Amino acid sequence: MRSILKTPLAVLAATTMLGGAAAAQELSGTLRIASDMSNPAPRAVIEGLVADFGEMHPDLEIELTVVDREAWKTQIRNSLSADPPDVINWYAANRMTPYVEAGLFMDISDWWEAGDYEGLESVRGAMTLNDAQWGIPYTYYQWGIYYREDIFNELGLEEPATFEEEIANCQVIVDSGRACYAIGSRFLWTAGGWFDYLNMRTNGFDFHMALARGEVEWTDERVRETFANWRRLIDMGAYVEDHQNYSWQEALPFVVNGEATAYLIGNFAVPHLREAGLGDDQIDFYQFPVITEGLPMGEDAPTDTFHVAAGAQNVEAARAFLAYVASPEVQTEINGPDALGQLPVNANSEVADDEFLQQGFTMLSQNAEGGIAQFFDRDFPAEMAAIGMEGLQEFMVFPDNLDDILGRLEAARQRIYE
Amino acid sequence: MATAASQQTWMQRNKMIVTPILFLLPGLLFFSVYVIIPIFQSFQISAYEWNGLGDLSERGEFVGLQNYRELMSDRAFEVSLWNNVKWLALYLLAIPGGLFIALFLNQTVTGIRLYKSLFFFPFVISQVVVGLVFTWFYLPRGGLLNTILGGLGFDTLNILGDPTLATYGIIAAGLWPQTAYCMILYLTGLNAVDPEQVEAARLDGAKGWRMLWHVVLPQLRPATFIAFVVTIIGALRSFDLISVMTNGGPFGSTRVLSFYMFEQALSEYGFRMGYGSAIAVVLFLIMLIFIAYFLYSMWRDERPART
């Protein structure tokens, strides 16, 4: 197995030891880590982290369990309930709520206060629930419209800045016999991405978050306006047909084959597009265009996290490991193009020299004044997200059912947020 | 006074009672721990609002029959219940299907064993594989079904993407292995058909449907009973095919009770243990009707043997 952190080891040892109390004594005992980084690249990253952290602390024994990423979403509750590991992976924002309220995550606000995570101030909000911090992020990525640059050139199209331009572009694309957007909505969440952006652009980030907190009715006129904008795209045939049958991966070939010209998706789609043979001159990226003039842009940038279990045995080692993961050098390394290929959470880290990561980083740091959202299924409570995404998928297939869908979501809202 | 009986130990005197109890004990123990007690736990949990994290008595909130009241007005529950009814009704087609294939294969021709194994094959492969194969078969573009329909000049169908057709599409996939199962049950049953009775019926001029209905089928009654039992149970616990083929979608139109229960209580976004348990209780009550009927039939059939 390759070690991803060979060179800066000495520097690292110095920086991570700044963490305060943890520096005083050498770590010993066993540190148990349960991780959901099961895909090939993330797996190499977590294994590399464990190997290098172990090298720095020879007396510490590290037990790493890697669980399949999808399976972990349901296994986490069993894992935390009985004999929990010390450190675990999860997601930011509302996805933490059930575990925080059940007292299964450790409150690590003191570690934030003590300066363990210098450079992470901007992402602290995503880790905050009930005025306390419950973990640290280790990576995030932008969402946006990934499109076929070559087809845009062929049709003489420019990256649109407004929704009207977007629709005008789309008309040209539809007239050329293609679909504007690939989407696979079988597992529902991809539809959540579209709603996030349309709602943030139509009504603004703050309105979107108020809706997520259950403070706005789903039958509100402003929500209907979002759906009316969405419907313009659906009615003009912008989306690929039968998208309810496909997963997001199964919808990628539409873009690869040029049957659809763009895909609203997270940056995790880029390696797949490259592997399928598209060069960087064929794919490009733009920010979701403006719908309502003058609204500051909000962006989706889901964050993946590390937490300490409330029942952790080796808290000292867990604290040192979290500080290690958050440090600028490690952040640069694990988010690099040959590792996770995503954005580092530490402001003092370097963003990899990659067309998409650079664009995404610029967008998120300079052009997302509205705010950074996590994602539909992370900002909304789990139940609301499940019912909501099902309604969104139904709307994309049968837009005429809108009244019925909104009535259903409103009934769910009244029950869930009581 | 010191008779033989008093010299025997307690164990020896009571071995006719103790031995069967000892033999039953492990089974009873496991059956109660893994089946009986959980059933009552489901009843209990269904009266709570609880997210499955932490202790029920601490973190659960007693709500009485509230979960059941909510079920009454829950449209997703209604859809799931109806889908269960569809499964029950249509899955029974596996029984006549299996019977006719068995009758067809019950002959001595060269290579008949090969044909039998080919027909039995779908039952051997895992349900997940069956689901995948049928998903590909139904694919809206490039699936075999639509290639054939297109070749014949019909419009293409997106079976699994259409909320009115998807459930039937999955049931059809489920019938494939289930028919094979019923076929094998009938093939063994046909071995036990008394050739003399068939001969006698033939002398009396019975053939074709009359022969089947009045002579062969009555002798196949045990096989039919077992086929009925396994098919009903198979229909009620249909889960893996739905999970693989549509994941409950499009927009929840292919859920059945077991899948809905899983979604509410255990899935990625499911934190409603109480509500999930209420669904489980309803499913249990439906199964109880069939279980009671099966137990009654078996008891009735065995009674003459005991007395």
Side-chain angles (χ1 to χ4, degrees):
Chain A
M1 201 208 60
R2 100 202 131 97
S3 164
I4 45 167
L5 304 161
K6 273 194 200 98
T7 30
L9 207 66
V11 191
L12 276 176
T15 43
T16 46
M17 287 297 108
L18 294 174
Q25 72 251 44
E26 185 45 42
L27 299 170
S28 60
T30 311
L31 174 67
R32 294 186 304 156
I33 302 173
S35 170
D36 70 342
M37 299 164 75
S38 61
N39 293 328
R43 191 181 186 109
V45 166
I46 184 73
E47 285 172 349
L49 280 173
V50 165
D52 294 333
F53 188 68
E55 226 167 280
M56 288 161 51
H57 303 283
D59 295 339
L60 184 70
E61 198 179 318
I62 307 180
E63 278 176 26
L64 171 68
T65 318
V66 179
V67 183
D68 175 74
R69 194 170 167 91
E70 288 303 313
W72 180 245
K73 290 172 180 172
T74 52
Q75 269 181 35
I76 179 175
R77 50 188 101 168
N78 297 340
S79 174
L80 284 175
S81 300
D83 190 24
D86 300 307
V87 173
I88 54 145
N89 276 130
W90 194 236
Y91 308 104
N94 231 321
R95 284 299 278 276
M96 303 189 295
T97 308
Y99 308 100
V100 168
E101 294 199 333
L104 297 172
F105 281 173
M106 187 178 281
D107 177 355
I108 61 164
S109 308
D110 293 348
W111 305 353
W112 279 87
E113 288 303 327
D116 277 24
Y117 314 118
E118 216 172 299
L120 265 61
E121 291 77 14
S122 60
V123 284
R124 188 167 174 168
M127 305 311 300
T128 306
L129 277 180
N130 309 338
D131 295 324
Q133 284 79 48
W134 304 95
I136 59 139
Y138 67 91
T139 188
Y140 73 118
Y141 49 88
Q142 81 270 18
W143 269 63
I145 299 184
Y146 293 81
Y147 70 100
R148 283 289 297 268
E149 205 175 350
D150 49 344
I151 299 179
F152 266 49
N153 290 338
E154 181 194 320
L155 299 173
L157 302 174
E158 298 278 324
E159 291 186 6
T162 67
F163 197 54
E164 292 310 321
E165 287 171 31
E166 176 84 30
I167 284 181
N169 274 359
C170 185
Q171 194 57 54
V172 176
I173 294 164
V174 170
D175 290 342
S176 76
R178 301 176 175 97
C180 307
Y181 313 111
I183 180 172
S185 65
R186 180 172 168 195
F187 294 100
L188 308 177
W189 54 269
T190 45
W194 273 96
F195 179 79
D196 278 352
Y197 274 102
L198 286 162
N199 198 35
M200 282 192 286
R201 292 289 184 271
T202 309
N203 298 308
F205 176 84
D206 297 332
F207 177 85
H208 186 63
M209 284 299 138
L211 185 66
R213 288 191 301 269
E215 292 159 11
V216 183
E217 290 178 14
W218 276 92
T219 45
D220 191 286
E221 208 41 55
R222 290 166 291 180
V223 178
R224 284 181 187 278
E225 210 177 308
T226 300
F227 280 99
N229 283 329
W230 200 347
R231 178 143 194 181
R232 289 177 69 187
L233 294 174
I234 295 169
D235 283 349
M236 69 192 290
Y239 296 98
V240 291
E241 274 178 26
D242 301 321
H243 55 78
Q244 71 269 35
N245 289 56
Y246 308 118
S247 67
W248 75 266
Q249 293 101 326
E250 285 166 336
L252 285 169
F254 290 110
V255 179
V256 176
N257 302 334
E259 293 167 68
T261 48
Y263 203 158
L264 175 69
I265 198 80
N267 196 61
F268 51 79
V270 172
H272 295 267
L273 292 172
R274 284 181 178 151
E275 264 166 46
L278 293 179
D280 281 7
D281 55 333
Q282 287 176 292
I283 33 177
D284 205 348
F285 168 85
Y286 64 86
Q287 187 170 15
F288 199 96
V290 174
I291 295 181
T292 305
E293 288 292 337
L295 277 179
M297 308 269 249
E299 287 295 324
D300 267 342
T303 308
D304 293 351
T305 55
F306 276 107
H307 304 265
V308 180
Q313 301 296 312
N314 199 341
V315 179
E316 277 307 305
R319 179 176 186 175
F321 183 75
L322 259 54
Y324 172 74
V325 171
S327 63
E329 292 79 7
V330 175
Q331 276 297 307
T332 307
E333 283 289 337
I334 66 173
N335 287 296
D338 51 351
L340 293 175
Q342 296 180 351
L343 296 170
V345 292
N346 196 312
N348 305 323
S349 307
E350 274 166 45
V351 177
D353 183 20
D354 171 280
E355 183 187 344
F356 298 99
L357 292 180
Q358 290 289 350
Q359 284 195 57
F361 185 72
T362 314
M363 175 179 86
L364 292 175
S365 51
Q366 292 168 19
N367 206 10
E369 296 93 354
I372 306 267
Q374 287 300 316
F375 194 70
F376 192 88
D377 68 350
R378 302 187 190 186
D379 292 319
F380 287 71
E383 253 189 283
M384 192 68 232
I387 298 172
M389 294 189 301
E390 199 171 288
L392 299 178
Q393 188 203 31
E394 183 174 345
F395 174 74
M396 287 190 76
V397 183
F398 296 116
D400 288 339
N401 295 359
L402 181 63
D403 284 329
D404 186 47
I405 296 167
L406 290 181
R408 215 160 58 211
L409 296 193
E410 176 54 22
R413 182 189 74 89
Q414 288 175 8
R415 179 175 57 74
I416 292 166
Y417 295 92
E418 62 181 355
Chain B
M1 286 299 282
T3 58
S6 64
Q7 281 163 8
Q8 286 178 323
T9 62
W10 181 87
M11 192 64 200
Q12 280 165 331
R13 268 179 282 128
N14 294 293
K15 71 179 167 201
M16 288 302 281
I17 300 167
V18 173
T19 318
I21 290 179
L22 279 179
F23 271 111
L24 282 173
L25 205 60
L28 282 177
L29 193 74
F30 280 91
F31 192 63
S32 22
V33 169
Y34 290 110
V35 180
I36 304 292
I37 296 174
I39 288 174
F40 286 100
Q41 278 178 328
S42 291
F43 279 107
Q44 189 203 354
I45 296 173
S46 73
Y48 284 84
E49 179 95 48
W50 181 47
N51 70 359
L53 297 167
D55 203 46
L56 175 63
S57 52
E58 266 171 48
R59 304 206 31 98
E61 184 197 336
F62 185 80
V63 291
L65 292 176
Q66 180 55 39
N67 284 326
Y68 294 93
R69 234 170 277 138
E70 196 187 323
L71 275 183
M72 303 291 283
S73 60
D74 182 350
R75 262 202 329 208
F77 173 73
E78 199 183 316
V79 169
S80 317
L81 196 62
W82 270 114
N83 281 340
N84 259 117
V85 173
K86 286 180 198 166
W87 271 88
L88 278 173
L90 292 174
Y91 223 45
L92 289 177
L93 289 176
I95 299 176
L99 174 65
F100 286 108
I101 297 176
L103 290 170
F104 174 66
L105 290 177
N106 190 38
Q107 44 188 315
T108 38
V109 193
T110 335
I112 192 71
R113 274 164 187 268
L114 176 69
Y115 303 137
K116 282 182 187 172
S117 17
L118 284 179
F119 273 96
F120 189 56
F121 179 68
F123 184 68
V124 179
I125 55 182
S126 130
Q127 293 261 310
V128 176
V129 177
V130 172
L132 276 178
V133 168
F134 268 81
T135 311
W136 295 329
F137 177 69
Y138 289 143
L139 273 184
R141 311 191 322 160
L144 188 59
L145 177 73
N146 281 318
T147 312
I148 296 171
L149 282 177
L152 294 173
F154 291 103
D155 277 345
T156 56
L157 282 175
N158 179 7
I159 292 191
L160 295 182
D162 183 336
T164 53
L165 293 177
T167 291
Y168 299 107
I170 303 175
I171 297 175
L175 278 175
W176 190 43
Q178 192 64 27
T179 307
Y181 193 14
C182 291
M183 177 203 79
I184 211 78
L185 289 171
Y186 276 120
L187 273 178
T188 39
L190 282 170
N191 283 334
V193 167
D194 186 356
E196 284 181 19
Q197 282 192 29
V198 175
E199 196 58 31
R202 192 163 287 155
L203 286 175
D204 286 343
K207 56 186 175 191
W209 289 105
R210 291 173 66 87
M211 170 79 96
L212 175 68
W213 189 254
H214 294 289
V215 181
V216 178
L217 267 188
Q219 296 191 61
L220 287 175
R221 225 184 133 255
T224 308
F225 179 70
I226 297 292
F228 186 63
V229 172
V230 296
T231 306
I232 291 287
I233 292 173
L236 284 171
R237 55 169 211 180
S238 49
F239 179 90
D240 24 18
L241 280 177
I242 296 168
S243 170
V244 170
M245 294 177 72
T246 61
N247 202 30
F251 12 104
S253 60
T254 55
R255 285 189 192 114
V256 293
L257 290 178
S258 55
F259 194 83
Y260 192 40
M261 171 191 75
F262 168 79
E263 271 195 347
Q264 288 292 322
L266 303 163
S267 72
E268 186 180 345
Y269 305 109
F271 288 96
R272 304 188 71 195
M273 281 292 175
Y275 199 59
S277 297
I279 301 167
V281 167
V282 173
L283 184 59
F284 172 69
L285 293 178
I286 296 172
M287 285 194 168
L288 201 60
I289 300 171
F290 291 99
I291 293 169
Y293 167 73
F294 295 147
L295 287 179
Y296 171 73
S297 310
M298 283 197 276
W299 175 77
R300 194 188 50 198
D301 290 351
E302 280 183 11
R303 198 170 37 176
R306 272 208 308 268
T307 48

